[in-house]
Amino acid sequence: MSTDPVIEAKNLSVRYPLGKGFLGPRATLAAVDNISLNIEKGSFFGLVGESGSGKTTLGRALLKAAPISEGEVFFRDEDVSHDLRTIKGLELKDYRKRAQLIFQDPYAALSPRMTVRDIIAEPLEVMGLTRTRAETDARVREIAAKCRLNLEHLRRFPHAFSGGQRQRISIARALVSGPKFIVADESVAALDVSIQADVLNLLKTIQRDMGISFLFISHDLSVVAHTCDHVAVMYLGNLVETAPTRSLFTRPRHPYTSALLSAIPSLDPDDTREAEKLTGEIPSPANPPKGCKFHTRCRFARDACTAERPQLREMAPGHMVACHFAEEFDFSANGALQSA
Amino acid sequence: MSLISVKDLTIRFATDEGLITAVDDVSFDIAPGEILGLVGESGSGKSVTAKALMRLNGGNTRYDESSQITLGVPGEAPVDVLSLKRERDMEPIRGGAVSMIFQEPMASFAPAITVGQQMVEQLLIHTDMTKAQARKHAIDMLDRVGIPDPARRFEQYAFEFSGGMRQRAMIAMALSTSPKLLIADEPTTALDVTIQAQVIDLMKDLVREFGMGILFITHDLGVIAQTADRVAVMYLGKLVETGTVRQVIRTPGHPYTRGLIDALPKLSDLDAPLTPVPGDIPSPLNRPAGCVFHTRCSMARPGLCDVSVPLAEGLPGGQSVACHFALDIRQKEGAA
């Protein structure tokens, strides 16, 4: 794997205006707040956090589908480089071809009035990537086969398919334009466990065989642990920890990551350890806490945490943590403190 | 005596495309103070089974003659739930002896009435409390489930609550009439893990305190492992396996249960491959003949599994498995 990032974000912020701002400066809500990250070529990059943490907004900003208020985002392929802050016109069209999105709900994402063939072919037609119908058909069949869709089914409508099959259709549609970067936003969250593994395995095969980089957004840490190479943990618009998967799961260093891990119900009925429970809920991003945004729920919070916002620091190779006191903690994989 | 006893429950829906079998010959019991986990994928008939206990399924529902649901509240005469004819007769059950918590709390609160009004309304129906007593009790319950500033929250509408708080409020509402049986249909599925952990703890505390029985429906085996005493696994309307939570999770007897556990990503072993259960769940419109799982089962034997319906087989220890090979599997494991 080369080490060139396919996506490079520097100090990226996405802000939305709140209310009218009739008097004084307009209040804003920072859904994504000063985030820097690199997604390496060919990697499977996981993004986790609670609802309201800004995962989806970050994913959309990287696709130029949410406004980039501050900072820079670059996309680099072999032959082109796009500056997403200023991109428009033909360049934006080119980027749309190279970057795609797979949604969460395979029932809502597919038009009930289009056949599977037309659903998969639509991006080709809209982007003018094929010239003849025969060429389009050939491309659709090639991609459908890659996604293990029965070619006989291409003439059917989506209602005839189960959730897992529909999600494979969504994946085929995302792949048909030959993208290099795909954002998969909770793409297995709506699927049953027995089917979920199948879709995850398909995404991994695509990543390996076609050299596509993924941003995999999920709230399910066990799924992320099994699929991603690198994981970033988001809280209220900030990245609090980012690390190679194994490093993050065997030795989380941020109290929030550790609490998230310990909240996952164990499959062992006798594993009755009292998880270190997070009290309360994620605060409103319209009025985030000062200093470290997590301090209102952190059991280790001290004065410094309310005063100053911690920046990401490298604690181990590739393992970055935004916590003033990260050196003091030793969380086991389960988030239980091994020693005080 | 069981709090609720379900025997040979078969539920069909009359549709334009004919009778659809949603639940097929299901039997289980729940004792007071016991949590029964009902696990299964979408379309397996979990919710239909649960709703039958309160007779909440739609007008096109057909219960087979053999079906029996008996509610046995200690100290009261047993109620034959399926024989109740009039809506009025069902009132003491719905929200009284039996309460239900749903997956999507927003859909369970009327949007134009305050949370408090809704809690008081049902207390006035099901208890002898006066309005003032009901109000006090409702606020106490909100406090009990950990909602800060309950008196203020009592006056608010459901949309003013966050997701986790709404789920707590629904639990408070469901428990305020002190039901004997609580049906929780995917109560934590829409919540973040951190909030899910809080809600699970809350429910376990409340069982201990109120001694009620719970039917806990979920597709998440991890949640089941941490809450249930016993587990029933459903697939396409059939109960394929029942047993204590340790039996079912540690030594699953049915190939489907085993498949579900293998398909689950586990944090204890990051390198373990994820093994999907092959194929898709068949449509209830064409349920497979014989064993309903045979179309996806690696052990299926032609001429047996696609023809004859396996009966629930009791294994040593009380686990019950509906598979033609249940005893073979167990013996092989014993030898290995």
Side-chain angles (χ1 to χ4, degrees):
Chain A
M1 198 191 296
S2 79
T3 50
D4 288 341
V6 62
I7 288 284
E8 186 181 0
K10 283 185 203 156
N11 307 107
L12 168 65
S13 292
V14 177
R15 290 180 214 283
Y16 292 109
L18 284 173
K20 287 260 167 60
F22 189 64
L23 293 165
R26 274 175 116 171
T28 59
L29 178 157
V32 171
D33 186 9
N34 195 13
I35 281 184
S36 301
L37 63 84
N38 289 347
I39 299 177
E40 307 297 335
K41 231 165 236 170
S43 74
F44 215 92
F45 192 102
L47 185 60
V48 298
E50 291 173 275
S51 34
S53 60
K55 308 184 294 284
T56 294
T57 308
L58 175 58
R60 288 184 181 232
L62 300 184
L63 290 173
K64 186 73 183 173
I68 297 171
S69 313
E70 270 166 49
E72 292 175 310
V73 184
F74 294 100
F75 166 84
R76 294 200 184 85
D77 200 355
E78 278 138 31
D79 48 342
V80 289
S81 168
H82 291 308
D83 177 349
L84 297 195
R85 201 161 46 88
T86 56
I87 194 169
K88 55 178 191 269
L90 283 176
E91 282 200 322
L92 184 56
K93 274 193 173 159
D94 179 72
Y95 186 56
R96 294 273 176 257
K97 186 179 82 188
R98 293 172 198 258
Q100 282 287 341
L101 177 63
I102 303 171
F103 294 94
Q104 167 172 4
D105 185 354
Y107 290 85
L110 306 177
S111 163
R113 289 160 196 268
M114 289 166 78
T115 62
V116 172
R117 183 257 169 213
D118 289 346
I119 286 170
I120 301 177
E122 194 181 28
L124 293 175
E125 284 155 3
V126 171
M127 297 181 194
L129 298 176
T130 49
R131 274 155 300 169
T132 63
R133 194 176 162 91
E135 201 182 330
T136 308
D137 277 338
R139 177 75 182 150
V140 168
R141 295 175 80 83
E142 177 198 346
I143 292 295
K146 272 213 174 74
C147 295
R148 298 202 307 276
L149 290 167
N150 188 335
L151 298 184
E152 310 268 295
H153 291 172
L154 289 178
R155 271 173 298 160
R156 296 194 191 172
F157 291 88
H159 73 86
F161 296 94
S162 67
Q165 287 168 320
R166 281 174 194 238
Q167 201 55 297
R168 292 208 295 271
I169 297 169
S170 306
I171 293 170
R173 177 187 163 97
L175 287 178
V176 78
S177 65
K180 288 295 162 59
F181 173 55
I182 292 181
V183 174
D185 191 352
E186 297 279 11
S187 296
V188 298
L191 302 178
D192 279 313
V193 182
S194 73
I195 305 295
Q196 174 180 296
D198 180 54
V199 172
L200 287 174
N201 289 341
L202 175 62
L203 291 177
K204 288 297 281 182
T205 311
I206 290 166
Q207 174 219 2
R208 266 193 305 267
D209 296 356
M210 303 171 77
I212 297 174
S213 318
F214 277 87
L215 176 70
F216 186 82
I217 301 175
S218 179
H219 69 279
D220 187 333
L221 286 123
S222 353
V223 166
V224 167
H226 274 265
T227 46
C228 298
D229 319 314
H230 199 94
V231 184
V233 183
M234 232 176 140
Y235 189 78
L236 271 181
N238 288 142
L239 287 186
V240 297
E241 184 159 8
T242 150
T245 304
R246 190 161 292 275
S247 184
L248 187 97
F249 282 92
T250 51
R251 181 136 195 239
R253 289 162 191 268
H254 195 286
Y256 177 62
T257 312
S258 156
L260 269 188
L261 285 173
S262 81
I264 302 172
S266 163
L267 201 54
D268 179 359
D270 291 319
D271 184 357
T272 49
R273 81 196 133 74
E274 266 309 293
E276 52 166 293
K277 297 277 155 54
L278 275 188
T279 49
E281 295 172 31
I282 193 164
S284 161
N287 187 16
K290 295 228 165 6
C292 174
K293 288 182 183 174
F294 184 58
H295 83 257
T296 53
R297 295 169 82 192
C298 182
R299 55 193 184 126
F300 306 106
R302 298 171 210 172
D303 291 347
C305 303
T306 46
E308 200 186 337
R309 181 157 302 163
Q311 300 301 312
L312 281 174
R313 298 177 286 141
E314 186 157 14
M315 305 276 300
H319 198 139
M320 315 274 284
V321 187
C323 173
H324 292 304
F325 303 106
E327 286 83 0
E328 297 178 21
F329 307 135
D330 186 6
F331 304 113
S332 78
N334 287 330
L337 267 182
Q338 280 180 325
S339 58
Chain B
M1 197 195 150
S2 309
L3 190 53
I4 194 133
S5 168
V6 174
K7 259 186 95 68
D8 306 331
L9 180 66
T10 300
I11 304 175
R12 297 181 220 274
F13 292 113
T15 70
D16 294 344
E17 290 160 271
L19 271 184
I20 292 177
T21 307
V23 175
D24 185 4
D25 209 12
V26 161
S27 303
F28 61 84
D29 286 76
I30 302 175
E34 180 181 54
I35 304 183
L36 175 70
L38 188 58
V39 199
E41 296 178 277
S42 37
S44 61
K46 312 182 293 283
S47 295
V48 174
T49 305
K51 284 184 183 161
L53 305 184
M54 290 170 87
R55 293 281 298 280
L56 289 176
N57 286 311
N60 61 342
T61 315
R62 307 277 177 273
Y63 296 95
D64 272 23
E65 289 286 322
S66 62
S67 310
Q68 266 197 340
I69 299 175
T70 315
L71 181 70
V73 175
E76 287 173 35
V79 181
D80 180 355
V81 175
L82 293 181
S83 74
L84 300 176
K85 290 280 183 302
R86 293 172 301 174
E87 291 283 315
R88 247 182 51 211
D89 299 333
M90 298 173 199
E91 262 177 25
I93 298 180
R94 294 180 177 160
V98 187
S99 271
M100 189 155 176
I101 308 175
F102 299 90
Q103 174 174 169
E104 197 11 272
M106 196 59 209
S108 308
F109 282 106
I113 315 174
T114 61
V115 169
Q117 268 174 296
Q118 295 180 57
M119 294 184 73
V120 166
E121 183 187 30
Q122 64 152 6
L123 285 170
L124 293 181
I125 294 174
H126 292 291
T127 69
D128 303 328
M129 290 183 199
T130 63
K131 221 167 176 177
Q133 286 170 327
R135 183 192 150 85
K136 186 171 175 301
H137 183 62
I139 293 174
D140 281 351
M141 284 307 294
L142 288 176
D143 187 39
R144 182 71 195 74
V145 296
I147 290 180
D149 201 356
R152 187 172 62 89
R153 290 292 179 180
F154 180 87
E155 309 288 348
Q156 288 186 333
Y157 296 89
F159 70 84
E160 295 174 272
F161 284 43
S162 69
M165 216 184 293
R166 239 178 255 145
Q167 197 58 282
R168 284 161 189 274
M170 190 150 74
I171 294 175
M173 182 157 87
L175 296 183
S176 64
T177 55
S178 314
K180 300 296 175 287
L181 177 71
L182 180 69
I183 301 170
D185 191 354
E186 303 265 8
T188 61
T189 306
L191 305 176
D192 281 311
V193 277
T194 53
I195 310 297
Q196 168 174 289
Q198 296 171 6
V199 170
I200 288 177
D201 278 1
L202 172 66
M203 292 188 62
K204 282 163 116 173
D205 283 353
L206 293 170
V207 174
R208 229 169 283 144
E209 190 180 323
F210 292 77
M212 72 192 101
I214 296 189
L215 179 65
F216 196 110
I217 302 176
T218 177
H219 66 277
D220 188 329
L221 282 164
V223 171
I224 283 289
Q226 292 302 312
T227 49
D229 303 308
R230 283 193 308 128
V231 183
V233 184
M234 252 183 129
Y235 182 79
L236 222 58
K238 274 278 187 198
L239 223 51
V240 296
E241 176 160 6
T242 54
T244 67
V245 67
R246 284 173 187 78
Q247 288 169 339
V248 173
I249 286 179
R250 295 218 179 113
T251 53
H254 197 281
Y256 174 63
T257 317
R258 192 176 285 231
L260 270 188
I261 292 174
D262 287 345
L264 215 59
K266 291 166 206 69
L267 280 177
S268 49
D269 184 1
L270 295 186
D271 298 321
L274 299 179
T275 324
V277 179
D280 283 298
I281 305 171
S283 150
L285 275 172
N286 41 41
R287 282 160 59 87
C291 171
V292 282
F293 186 59
H294 84 260
T295 54
R296 299 172 76 190
C297 184
S298 61
M299 298 182 71
R301 188 187 297 162
L304 175 64
C305 298
D306 53 352
V307 182
S308 112
V309 178
L311 297 174
E313 192 113 38
L315 297 179
Q319 199 170 353
S320 161
V321 178
C323 172
H324 290 300
F325 303 114
L327 286 171
D328 296 1
I329 297 173
R330 196 40 52 88
Q331 268 160 16
K332 242 178 252 162
E333 273 168 3

